[in-house]
Amino acid sequence: MAAQKKLIIGNWKMNLNVQEASTYLHKLEAAMKVHRDVTVVITPTMLALQPLSLQINRHKLKLAAQNFHWRDFGAITGEVSATQLRGLVTYALVGHSERRHMFGESTKDTREKVQAALRNHITPVLCIGETKAERTNEETNDVLRDQLVGGLANVTSEEVDQVVIAYEPVWAIGTGNNASPHDVEAAILTIRSQIRHLFGRDKAASVTVLYGGSITADSAADYLALRGVDGLLVGGASLKLHEFTSIIEKAHSAAE
């Protein structure tokens, strides 16, 4: 039985202006190898999405949005909708902890965004994960279940295959603190168990689940080798050309 295709998403966050993003994309496309068993996605700032959509080689890379509003249009100053992103991006992040905790995005916001992405034919990447305090209080499983149920509340069994789940423990994002492989595997098991409860055994096996949290080229292979991990959501390392291309190669090795 062939291994499942790996998904590598690089989240650039609030880094690189339009010119810098274009230059980096050019270098990345020149440096990376294309593998049929690895899908590579980059997530530039909103400002850079449109020009990069004209530049990008879509046989090598896909684009994702870091954020969007759940309404398709309206009098909402400063926001961009999934409808406006349609055709520019293939994926979009939803519920990232920085959106939840820095901007107060609620479970309702997350649920509505998942639906908005799906109706606009964009694959939502639903980010879930516990804080350090929740982990210390042994609430990890409860948090993951609540965030999954909340985010997928309006998703049908026919649609759930179109959603990517990303486990990102909040205490590990950008901190250099790595979750142990054992802890990640346990969290992924909880996620798939909850999906099985909601949508059935087949969907639990087929849904794509990623891990993210201070991923580096050195740690990537260990996480990619874990049972149930279908890829990685990479932060800072995605801005370092040699690190990111190394992670892509390790995903290829894991998929073989």
Side-chain angles (χ1 to χ4, degrees), residues 14-77:
M14 198 173 68
N15 294 291
L16 305 183
N17 62 30
V18 174
Q19 182 177 348
E20 291 167 341
S22 176
T23 300
Y24 183 76
L25 173 59
H26 177 75
K27 291 179 179 178
L28 178 59
E29 288 184 338
M32 66 177 285
K33 294 180 181 178
V34 177
H35 302 292
R36 290 186 177 182
D37 52 13
V38 182
T39 299
V40 183
V41 182
I42 56 171
T43 311
T45 65
M46 196 69 75
L47 199 62
L49 272 177
Q50 197 277 335
L52 291 195
S53 75
L54 301 177
Q55 175 185 342
I56 199 167
N57 182 341
R58 294 180 184 267
H59 295 293
K60 287 190 171 185
L61 294 160
K62 307 296 183 186
L63 284 174
Q66 295 180 20
N67 185 43
F68 58 95
H69 196 277
W70 57 267
R71 288 193 177 95
D72 288 342
F73 55 88
I76 309 173
T77 301

Side-chain angles (χ1 to χ4, degrees), residues 97-115:
S97 65
E98 290 159 5
R99 301 300 311 177
R100 293 180 192 263
H101 298 290
M102 294 174 67
F103 296 93
E105 291 193 1
S106 66
T107 299
K108 178 181 182 296
D109 293 326
T110 301
R111 178 169 62 247
E112 296 282 6
K113 286 185 176 186
V114 168
Q115 283 298 106

Side-chain angles (χ1 to χ4, degrees), residues 201-235:
R201 184 178 300 276
D202 290 346
K203 300 299 182 180
S206 63
V207 71
T208 298
V209 182
L210 312 180
Y211 171 69
S214 295
I215 297 290
T216 66
D218 291 335
S219 66
D222 291 337
Y223 293 117
L224 287 164
L226 296 176
R227 180 180 56 177
V229 174
D230 301 315
L232 303 171
L233 179 53
V234 184

Side-chain angles (χ1 to χ4, degrees), residues 70-203:
W70 57 267
R71 288 193 177 95
D72 288 342
F73 55 88
I76 309 173
T77 301
E79 291 291 336
V80 173
S81 72
T83 301
Q84 293 167 326
L85 292 170
R86 186 172 177 174
L88 291 180
V89 303
T90 307
Y91 298 83
L93 303 185
V94 177
H96 192 283
S97 65
E98 290 159 5
R99 301 300 311 177
R100 293 180 192 263
H101 298 290
M102 294 174 67
F103 296 93
E105 291 193 1
S106 66
T107 299
K108 178 181 182 296
D109 293 326
T110 301
R111 178 169 62 247
E112 296 282 6
K113 286 185 176 186
V114 168
Q115 283 298 106
L118 290 172
R119 71 173 173 264
N120 284 286
H121 306 288
I122 296 170
T123 299
V125 181
L126 176 61
C127 302
I128 61 175
E130 79 283 11
T131 64
K132 185 176 181 180
E134 290 164 341
R135 177 177 172 78
T136 300
N137 292 328
E138 299 183 348
E139 298 171 349
T140 296
N141 288 348
D142 291 336
V143 170
L144 295 181
R145 291 190 189 102
D146 288 348
Q147 292 180 349
L148 265 178
V149 171
L152 300 177
N154 294 332
V155 175
T156 67
S157 58
E158 289 76 22
E159 293 173 324
V160 71
D161 285 333
Q162 303 166 44
V163 180
V164 173
I165 309 297
Y167 170 55
E168 284 201 308
V170 180
W171 50 271
I173 300 172
T175 64
N177 296 323
N178 294 324
S180 73
H182 173 77
D183 289 338
V184 173
E185 199 165 52
I188 299 297
L189 179 61
T190 296
I191 290 168
R192 291 196 185 275
S193 295
Q194 185 60 46
I195 294 173
R196 182 172 65 247
H197 175 72
L198 293 171
F199 301 103
R201 184 178 300 276
D202 290 346
K203 300 299 182 180

